[in-house]
Amino acid sequence: MSEIKEKLEALKSELPANVKLVAVSKYKPVEMIIETYETGLRDFGENYVQELVEKYEQMPKDTNWHFIGHLQTNKVKYIAPFVSLIHSVDSFKLLKEINKQAAKNDRVIECLLQIFIAEEDTKTGMDISELKDILKSEELKNLKNIKIVGLMGMSTFTDNIAQVRNEFKKLKACFDQYKDHITDNIELMEVSMGMSGDYNLAIEEGSTMVRVGSAIFGNR
Ligand SMILES: *Cc1c(COP(=O)(O)O)cnc(C)c1O
């Protein structure tokens, strides 16, 4: 068995049945993604629009593409025809543009709102008051071509486990606060948190979706 397949099998055996695995393939060649695809995995995460579009064109069409990086409004149009889930929606402006491009493609695009949970100021996302404003806004009701299906967060890059755990708790608390706020285009079901270094912790704190790159594909 190849190294990728071994790592993937080990990882899958650790994940509870309710936790989805998104294999983060940024900077990795299509050959490696295909190897992973052949094990049955269909969900792949990418951070850069151009790289995602190139890989989309080369991979089988039943691949589910997750966009997990910072998304500029002027680039939404390139991924709108095919993206499965956008994890990194960090403003209402971006959400409106996704809605517009989704409408042009006659589809509904599922989105996660990225919440700022880390102490580092390098990580992006909205704060809890912005989340509330968006979920309660009148204008959101008109966005028929997006659906908000959960929240995403990234913890601080640190060895301090207590701190990371707290950050994940913060995201799960946000999720719990709004999970019963269900409308035509809001139904929070996913908590996307946990990467190669902290997915076990994230799962303990209620993650439903882990985004794992280097633990599958090796260091970038
Ligand atoms: C790169 C990246 C990941 C995967 O990181 P690893 O540490 O390689 O598992 C997950 N989420 C986001 C948002 C990323 O940018």
Side-chain angles (χ1 to χ4, degrees):
M1 207 166 26
S2 80
E3 211 178 324
I4 289 183
K5 285 181 180 155
E6 271 173 34
K7 283 182 179 160
L8 196 61
E9 287 313 313
L11 176 61
K12 278 182 180 168
S13 69
E14 274 184 76
L15 300 182
N18 65 318
V19 176
K20 298 184 193 96
L21 173 61
V22 177
V24 175
S25 47
K26 63 177 175 233
Y27 300 137
K28 297 295 177 183
V30 168
E31 295 71 48
M32 275 183 154
I33 306 179
I34 295 212
E35 214 181 311
T36 316
Y37 175 95
E38 283 169 352
T39 70
L41 204 82
R42 289 293 175 270
D43 291 272
F44 294 89
E46 288 284 340
N47 287 58
Y48 305 99
V49 167
Q50 193 182 337
E51 187 178 346
L52 171 55
V53 170
E54 284 168 14
K55 287 173 173 173
Y56 162 73
E57 284 164 359
Q58 297 173 65
M59 285 290 293
K61 290 296 166 278
D62 67 344
T63 306
N64 302 321
W65 292 106
H66 296 244
F67 192 83
I68 63 171
H70 178 65
L71 183 55
Q72 290 170 274
T73 47
N74 63 345
K75 294 200 172 157
V76 174
K77 58 178 178 282
Y78 302 114
I79 62 171
F82 66 87
V83 71
S84 288
L85 180 62
I86 300 176
H87 291 232
S88 42
V89 177
D90 58 1
S91 70
F92 199 33
K93 178 170 162 240
L94 179 59
L95 198 57
K96 284 191 277 191
E97 177 64 15
I98 295 168
N99 182 71
K100 182 173 149 194
Q101 298 300 334
K104 278 191 188 162
N105 286 280
D106 198 21
R107 54 189 303 248
V108 173
I109 296 180
E110 297 196 335
C111 297
L112 306 180
L113 299 181
Q114 183 174 358
I115 311 301
F116 179 80
I117 53 171
E119 277 175 27
E120 304 169 81
D121 53 9
T122 52
K123 300 267 156 75
T124 52
M126 56 181 77
D127 61 32
I128 293 167
S129 70
E130 281 174 277
L131 167 68
K132 179 176 175 225
D133 290 346
I134 291 179
L135 294 182
K136 302 274 164 141
S137 91
E138 281 299 314
E139 208 184 344
L140 183 72
K141 293 181 181 150
N142 302 323
L143 307 186
K144 312 271 187 218
N145 292 81
I146 53 102
K147 183 154 191 196
I148 299 173
V149 297
L151 306 179
M152 184 271 237
M154 282 174 88
S155 66
T156 304
F157 186 71
T158 170
D159 291 334
N160 185 338
I161 290 176
Q163 182 185 341
V164 172
R165 191 184 286 285
N166 259 328
E167 293 171 357
F168 288 150
K169 275 189 199 302
K170 205 157 110 183
L171 188 64
K172 179 60 163 53
C174 274
F175 173 83
D176 287 338
Q177 187 175 353
Y178 292 108
K179 68 175 188 294
D180 298 323
H181 180 76
I182 298 173
T183 69
D184 286 346
N185 59 6
I186 307 173
E187 185 171 1
L188 304 189
M189 294 172 288
E190 306 292 352
V191 187
S192 168
M193 60 186 189
M195 315 192 343
S196 293
D198 56 18
Y199 64 86
N200 282 317
L201 213 52
I203 291 167
E204 283 171 27
E205 297 305 331
S207 171
T208 66
M209 204 177 249
V210 292
R211 309 177 308 272
V212 180
S214 43
I216 299 171
F217 297 110
N219 289 334
R220 287 179 294 273

